[in-house]
Amino acid sequence: MGDLIGEAVEGTLYYAARREFSRVAAHPASTPERLSVYADMARLNTLFMIANAGSGHIGSSFSSLDILACLYLDEMDCEQGDIFFSSKGHDAPGLYAMLIATGTLPEEKLHRLRRLDGLPGHPDIAVPGMVTNTGSLGMGISKAKGMAFANRQFGKSGRIFVMTGDGELQEGQIWESLVSAANAGLDEITVIVDHNKIQSDYSVERTMSLGDIEAKFKAFGWEVVRIDGNDTDTILKAFQQLRSVATKPKVIIADTVKGKGVSFMEGTSIDSDVEMFRFHSGAPQSGDYRRAAQELIERINGKLSSMGAEALELEQTTRPAPATSNVEPARLFPAYTQALLDQAQKNKKIVALDADLVLDMGLIPFSEKFPDRFVECGIAEMDMVSQAGGMALKGLLPVVHSFSCFLSTRPNEQIYNNATEHTKIVYVGGLSGVLPAGPGHSHQSVRDISAVGGIPGLVMVEPSCPDEVAPLFDWCLNHHDGASFLRMISIPYQLPYALPAGYRPSLGQGVTLREGRDALIITYGMVMLSEAIKAAEMLAGKGLEVQVVNLPWLNHIDGKWLSGTIAVHSYVFTIDNHYIDGGQGDYILSAIAALGHDKHLACHKFGLTSVPPSGTNDEVLAAVGLDAASLARDISARMKLR
């Protein structure tokens, strides 16, 4: 197979058809041998799916596949009600590969990872074989307890296997979930900790050491075994050992290797950090894909040969070409990184807190320049926000970082508690809005405005472009007397507009990016403003001139400014990169109502009305009606109805 990969046309991708998995599953070799090659074949297909999709999590999928092979082909009895689900969620591509191989999912789904009507980036119960959704980490064991309780109520049998990550053990809900499971004697629950020792930022040991996790689980009353989680023989023996344990929930601490199966993708050092381990997330580059596929295919065929089986018959397809453009897209986080450094240089009270997202949130330069003022909190958002509260009470100026989907919701009570103390804290949320759409709804932050926008004294802002980041951040730090939330788009986006010269943000007031007298669009952020400007250009082709206003203040509206802005208009449209309920549009329409205008004003809110799907950015924007073409069509239709 070496020649096939070496001479292949650039962009060729390889995968194994289901018939090859069936052939291996039926082979008379020993069970551990069969399962080992089956797991490697699933790795090959996982690699294919992620490369074809352009994103995904290789490391976490690869580390768990030996365990999944043992569960699905040997240990679980689905007819007796046994189920498995992942609490960590990043292993979704590997789990999909296993479900496709075993026939639970259609084989064509191999080509639909992170595509509309395909396989979402994280587990979702709409996909056959998925019994629960993932969300913010830490929920899995609690859900397993609920399932066990329901089974007992209905007199049903069935074991529940749930996999957690080791970094996930930093979430407080994990430890809340343990005591009652032991007290209730839930021996039908088996938790498998994928202890691959590397999380998003650094090693687990460096980020937040777990200490003696065997002793911790035992202290909570659980039966504990620790094994090599990438050795199928050892895994099978552990499951066999635990079958005889009654009246106690069980946990397997599975020591695994992140990226297991491809030598240059494997992360084994406890000192590995985000710059040393490149395969936590994202699709492999062309050269890395070819090397990885080569290594997997050669090892699979070597194992098949030792079993006396024929070599793997491969399928192949062409990798989709990446979209290209002559226009450089705008990126917010480089501007934020510089703004944070500049402010920290001037104010020694500024400290930055991070929840295992140091790379994504642009914090590596800060952590290097101000190591004594950087606090890595791990996957523990509630703890992080309350730490910030304590710091603020003692005179520091905390800047708290995580993805908006986790920062606005999991520690919501803690954010509110801090606000009641009238201290100044800046919360910075990345990955805000419906894009990127590939990871799915657990990571699409489209309810954060409603989640924290009503907290007294807290002001939410969202920059429209890199040039607006520093002024808004400066306002949050130096001009606002209270808490603030800087909502940030993480993806690059091409901007068909620029802020006017000399623009400075003023609380509750917007700025016009495009003039027009026939209708008014008020929105915010790079994605929605870009789509609004493009929609306005489309409408101009129909003879409708639409004014587009950037209003970076998400939950505070200056009534006097708004009154002057809407004065010449009969139609006002708001666009939210968020659910319609509780978004900026609600604040704008409430402010319009409070003005008491006697003129008739037709208002309409655009935004999400249901849980957004997973897919490519373009197809999901169109699916939820927030792309330029959909907006132009719907605005035109509403204006003609009057």
Side-chain angles (χ1 to χ4, degrees):
M1 297 311 302
D3 290 342
L4 176 61
I5 299 293
E7 297 174 1
V9 175
E10 183 75 15
T12 302
L13 303 178
Y14 300 88
Y15 64 93
R18 180 180 293 156
R19 65 178 181 274
E20 292 294 278
F21 286 90
S22 299
R23 173 169 70 93
V24 170
H27 194 275
S30 71
T31 300
E33 284 182 292
R34 286 188 292 107
L35 296 183
S36 179
V37 70
Y38 202 96
D40 273 342
M41 290 167 62
R43 287 185 174 97
L44 179 65
N45 281 8
T46 299
L47 183 71
F48 165 81
M49 294 170 74
I50 293 173
N52 192 53
S55 63
H57 292 83
I58 293 175
S60 188
S61 293
F62 277 20
S63 66
S64 61
L65 275 166
D66 299 295
I67 297 166
L68 295 188
C70 292
L71 277 169
Y72 279 96
L73 272 70
D74 186 79
E75 181 61 23
M76 289 200 302
D77 187 341
C78 296
E79 292 183 0
Q80 293 298 314
D82 290 354
I83 60 171
F84 167 82
F85 66 90
S86 170
S87 180
K88 63 178 185 169
H90 283 171
D91 53 347
L95 182 50
Y96 293 145
M98 190 62 61
L99 293 174
I100 291 168
T102 56
T104 301
L105 288 174
E107 192 163 15
E108 59 266 22
K109 292 293 186 181
L110 270 172
H111 305 271
R112 300 295 297 173
L113 178 64
R114 297 190 171 208
R115 294 299 305 271
L116 197 66
D117 300 321
L119 300 173
H122 288 73
D124 186 284
I125 59 171
V127 177
M130 297 293 178
V131 298
T132 182
N133 292 356
T134 57
S136 185
L137 292 174
M139 300 179 185
I141 301 175
S142 299
K143 286 202 170 183
K145 290 193 302 181
M147 294 174 186
F149 181 85
N151 281 347
R152 291 187 177 193
Q153 289 292 105
F154 292 121
K156 294 182 178 180
S157 62
R159 296 173 297 167
I160 302 166
F161 296 88
V162 54
M163 181 173 289
T164 76
D166 46 7
E168 186 177 4
L169 299 187
Q170 293 157 6
E171 286 282 21
Q173 186 175 350
I174 291 284
W175 304 100
E176 290 182 37
S177 70
L178 301 182
V179 178
S180 63
N183 291 344
L186 299 181
D187 54 10
E188 59 266 57
I189 294 177
T190 300
V191 170
I192 305 161
V193 178
D194 182 10
H195 194 17
N196 61 42
K197 303 173 186 64
I198 298 175
Q199 53 192 95
S200 179
D201 281 357
Y202 311 109
S203 68
V204 175
E205 184 70 18
R206 175 178 169 183
T207 303
M208 195 67 58
S209 177
L210 298 173
D212 190 343
I213 53 175
E214 292 176 70
K216 286 184 169 76
F217 275 99
K218 287 178 181 177
F220 280 96
W222 286 58
E223 182 73 18
V224 182
V225 296
R226 188 163 191 163
I227 63 169
D228 179 345
N230 293 128
D231 181 84
T232 52
D233 185 46
T234 302
I235 297 167
L236 293 172
K237 289 176 180 176
F239 283 134
Q240 182 178 16
Q241 174 186 339
L242 290 177
R243 284 178 213 153
S244 61
V245 175
T247 72
K248 294 173 69 176
K250 306 145 191 176
V251 60
I252 297 174
I253 310 298
D255 288 307
T256 60
V257 175
K258 195 158 187 174
K260 178 66 177 178
V262 175
S263 58
F264 66 89
M265 291 182 174
E266 292 180 353
T268 57
S269 170
I270 63 171
D271 296 321
S272 294
D273 63 25
V274 71
E275 296 171 316
M276 295 169 64
F277 184 74
R278 298 186 292 117
F279 300 102
H280 170 73
S281 63
Q285 297 296 315
S286 179
D288 285 340
Y289 171 80
R290 290 159 68 89
R291 290 171 57 205
Q294 173 89 44
E295 185 174 333
L296 284 167
I297 292 167
E298 288 182 350
R299 188 169 65 253
I300 290 166
N301 284 335
K303 291 179 180 180
L304 289 172
S305 177
S306 68
M307 291 164 50
E310 294 182 2
L312 191 63
E313 183 177 335
L314 289 169
E315 309 296 321
Q316 64 185 59
T317 187
T318 303
R319 186 174 191 165
T324 58
S325 173
N326 294 327
V327 180
E328 181 69 22
R331 291 173 169 82
L332 291 183
F333 271 94
Y336 173 71
T337 298
Q338 189 58 53
L340 177 61
L341 290 172
D342 291 344
Q343 293 286 346
Q345 188 68 44
K346 294 183 288 186
N347 187 346
K348 294 183 179 180
K349 293 182 179 180
I350 290 176
V351 293
L353 295 86
D354 170 60
D356 193 37
L357 291 168
V358 66
L359 176 63
D360 299 85
M361 298 302 297
L363 294 173
I364 291 177
F366 184 95
S367 69
E368 293 173 344
K369 188 168 184 177
F370 305 107
D372 294 339
R373 293 156 62 185
F374 174 75
V375 182
E376 175 57 73
C377 300
I379 307 172
E381 298 89 354
M382 291 182 288
D383 175 64
M384 175 177 66
V385 169
S386 288
Q387 281 193 65
M391 293 174 182
L393 287 171
K394 288 295 186 180
L396 292 176
L397 181 46
V399 185
V400 182
H401 302 81
S402 187
F403 288 160
S404 286
C405 50
F406 307 137
L407 183 58
S408 64
T409 51
R410 165 95 8 145
N412 189 272
E413 184 177 359
Q414 287 75 15
I415 293 174
Y416 178 72
N417 177 270
N418 290 346
T420 65
E421 295 171 340
H422 307 290
T423 53
K424 180 180 291 190
I425 299 173
V426 180
Y427 303 96
V428 181
L431 212 70
S432 305
V434 73
L435 304 184
H441 56 73
S442 64
H443 286 61
Q444 291 164 301
S445 188
V446 289
R447 62 190 182 101
D448 45 351
I449 301 174
S450 61
V452 299
I455 294 177
L458 187 147
V459 176
M460 298 189 75
V461 297
E462 181 168 335
S464 62
C465 61
D467 288 342
E468 199 172 23
V469 172
L472 286 175
F473 188 50
D474 177 73
W475 183 90
C476 294
L477 285 171
N478 301 313
H479 300 279
H480 178 50
D481 185 20
S484 53
F485 194 110
L486 185 63
R487 187 180 196 251
M488 301 271 283
I489 299 294
S490 290
I491 63 171
Y493 218 73
Q494 292 182 356
L495 304 184
Y497 60 84
L499 291 172
Y503 164 75
R504 298 293 297 175
S506 180
L507 178 62
Q509 299 181 16
V511 59
T512 296
L513 301 182
R514 187 187 191 281
E515 297 288 353
R517 296 182 63 86
D518 293 320
L520 170 66
I521 295 175
I522 303 177
T523 187
Y524 55 87
M526 295 202 302
V527 174
M528 290 300 94
L529 280 166
S530 296
E531 298 307 308
I533 291 288
K534 289 185 286 186
E537 295 298 331
M538 294 176 185
L539 290 168
K542 298 182 178 182
L544 296 173
E545 290 299 329
V546 178
Q547 181 182 0
V548 179
V549 168
N550 164 36
L551 182 60
W553 314 95
L554 305 182
N555 65 336
H556 282 261
I557 313 297
D558 183 315
K560 184 177 180 181
W561 165 84
L562 182 63
S563 179
T565 302
I566 66 174
V568 300
H569 293 291
S570 298
Y571 296 90
V572 175
F573 300 96
T574 67
I575 306 175
D576 265 298
N577 192 358
H578 187 274
Y579 289 123
I580 285 180
D581 292 336
Q584 186 193 64
D586 276 355
Y587 289 95
I588 293 171
L589 267 60
S590 293
I592 290 174
L595 292 173
H597 280 288
D598 54 9
K599 64 177 266 185
H600 184 70
L601 193 63
C603 301
H604 181 75
K605 298 182 297 181
F606 291 103
L608 280 83
T609 57
S610 60
V611 176
S614 171
T616 66
N617 292 341
D618 289 345
E619 64 188 9
V620 168
L621 267 188
V624 299
L626 292 177
D627 65 313
S630 298
L631 291 168
R633 178 197 64 216
D634 293 343
I635 289 172
S636 177
R638 289 187 175 277
M639 293 181 70
K640 287 177 181 177
L641 286 175
R642 178 132 182 225

